[in-house]
Amino acid sequence: MRKNVCFKSAYLPYLLVLPQIVITLLFFIWPALQAISESVVIQDPFGLYSRFVWFHNFVTLFTNTDYINSLIVTLIFSLAVTILSLVGGLFFAVLANRVTRGKRIYNALLILPYAVAPAIAGVLFRFLFDPAIGIFPYWLHYFHYTWNFTINSRQALFLIVIISAWQQVSYNFLFYLAGLQAIPRSLIESAALDGAGPFRRFWSIIFPLLSPTTFFLIVINMLYAFFDTFGIIQIVTQGGPANATQTLVYKIYQDGFMGLDFGGSAAQSVILMLVIIVLTIIQFKFFERSIEY
Amino acid sequence: MATIEFKQVRKRYNDIEVIHGIDLAINRGQFVVIVGPSGCGKSTLLRMVAGLEEVSAGEIIINGQLVNDLPPKKRDIAMVFQNYALYPHMSVYENMEYGLKMRGFDRKEIKFRVMKAAKILQLESLLKRKPRDLSGGQRQRVAMGRAIVREPSIFLFDEPLSNLDAKLRVEMRLEIYKLQRELAVTSLYVTHDQVEAMTLADILVVMNKGIIEQVGKPLDIYKRPTTVFVAGFIGSPAMNFIKSTVYDRGQTISIIDQQLIHLPYPLLKQYEETEIIVGIRPEALQIAQSRDQDQFKVKVEVVEALGSDTIVYGRIAGSGQQLVAKLTSNIVTHPGEYLALSVKPEQLHFFDCDTEKRILGI
């Protein structure tokens, strides 16, 4: 039974929600409206002159091969990051769930990458993979593999995928570990008595029971790959070489702040906003469908 | 159907021993109930049979085969868990077929067996439902169904009824009883509920603090408990224990001062002038019929009129020792009143004060 709270004063409830509303309006709604209004105009870099052009900015985008390229890069990048970090998180969670001694140490170490700022992570990996002074290229040299992410576009994309996934593994690990711990032991024992080996148990019992967690994490990881990887890209590749690592967010930044094409940049923002809205709706719709033990 | 044998089975967690050498033999088709207070090691013992816990020392032998190191799936055992452990993402049908699928039965055989079990347990109309859409009793049935489709040689039950409400518990108890008799599968059933224990068991095993206190037929245990613990644990309300002294060459017990109980012959010769524990079942106490009968006075404190009987809680006048009596319902009494209670000498139980064991030969 849930009872509605009653306030004596008529103003108090409004006062209490006011900070949240102000923050939302100021930092979310206003910029969003600004983006929408700017996406339908063309203006000069100094904002002195602007012209209303309807959906011209959007039409230009989808005829621009650079934008299509950025779209494909983002898709590949976000899928790769999501899959890699989910698999990694699940793998470590399953292992950590078996540990009985020193559990806290393992968990703390596995969560550590999440505490590293993206820019710092970027610098870290940049050094490790630097073609001239990095340790990995040095090792790869022994296998006669030439590593230079500054000129090889596949290697560049691979590198930012690795860094982004590395950061996100911790997050996924936490959720999977919590998910695993929520599965009653007796279910696993029952499956063992039913004759299922560890591998079958995992795929037929544990993994399906983690599906709400997996689904939630897929959405969260997609959003992460879309938005929160800006710092890594900025530090490591700046979208290069030859736009090979130019994701949608990075392109918005480059077009808007480097290229000073505000209209085009705003149009891209609007499209990206739609993507988030869709992802969020999907997440809310499916997240209600949780499993009861 | 199988036999199970325990030989000096021990269980240690790190350095703490929780089961101290269990010896027990279970025959084919027997329904054995292990009863004991929580923490007595009964569930651990069951889990060792299932292979879910390692055996620290001793041997568990199923059908003549040592199973200590055999993984659970090779023991041909089905277990019903307290929380049922149904797979929440699978339908009732899928839950029941899982064990058969894992064992590589062909589809036809699986379907035949599942439908047969569903019919026995009246689950036919629920086969497509998920566990979350079932009531407690239905879930319990599915758990049973999952156990019987495999036609295992042993059933293990780990407090299977404790998550049900009282009425359903009685119903399911009957069903489990009938089912086990019908299938005649060797069963090991763990519970802390003595009514379940008394009604279901062919053989009752009473455990306490990691040892077996007594093994026997339920009524034999009720009639002749071998230790104070068993005497107090089996029977509800619990047996009254009164420290008394033996006089008169073992023919008289003094409950307090003048309140004596005379025995028909000198039963307790060797305990002359010493203290023993006298056990009196609440249901053995009666209102004294005449003044010449041996009796003792009890001051009534609480009266519970249950309709079928009246349970009286009171204290023995003089010693203040607490006492419970289960009297017939036509007795009307109130707190503060005194009752004169008597007991037939042959319904007394005597225990040694030091060993807390039953005084033999009686």
Side-chain angles (χ1 to χ4, degrees), chain B residues 212-223:
Chain B
I212 290 182
E213 292 264 346
Q214 191 172 0
V215 180
K217 290 185 178 156
L219 278 182
D220 291 347
I221 292 183
Y222 175 82
K223 283 180 186 155

Side-chain angles (χ1 to χ4, degrees), chain A residues 101 184-187 189-197 200-201 204-205 208-209 290-293, chain B residues 47 50 52 72-73 77 79 81 83 85-90 98-99 101-103 132 139 146 150:
Chain A
R101 233 170 259 191
R185 253 185 81 96
S186 58
L187 280 183
E189 292 174 345
S190 180
L193 282 164
D194 268 342
R200 294 291 289 270
R201 284 206 292 272
S204 63
I205 308 288
L209 289 180
S290 55
I291 281 188
E292 180 199 329
Y293 297 111
Chain B
R47 293 168 58 81
L52 301 172
K73 66 172 180 180
I77 279 171
M79 183 159 167
F81 290 83
N83 62 1
L86 300 179
Y87 309 126
H89 57 298
M90 297 184 192
Y98 186 76
K101 255 166 93 179
M102 290 300 129
R103 285 184 158 75
R132 66 167 168 272
R139 287 182 201 187
R146 203 171 56 177
R150 293 228 330 262

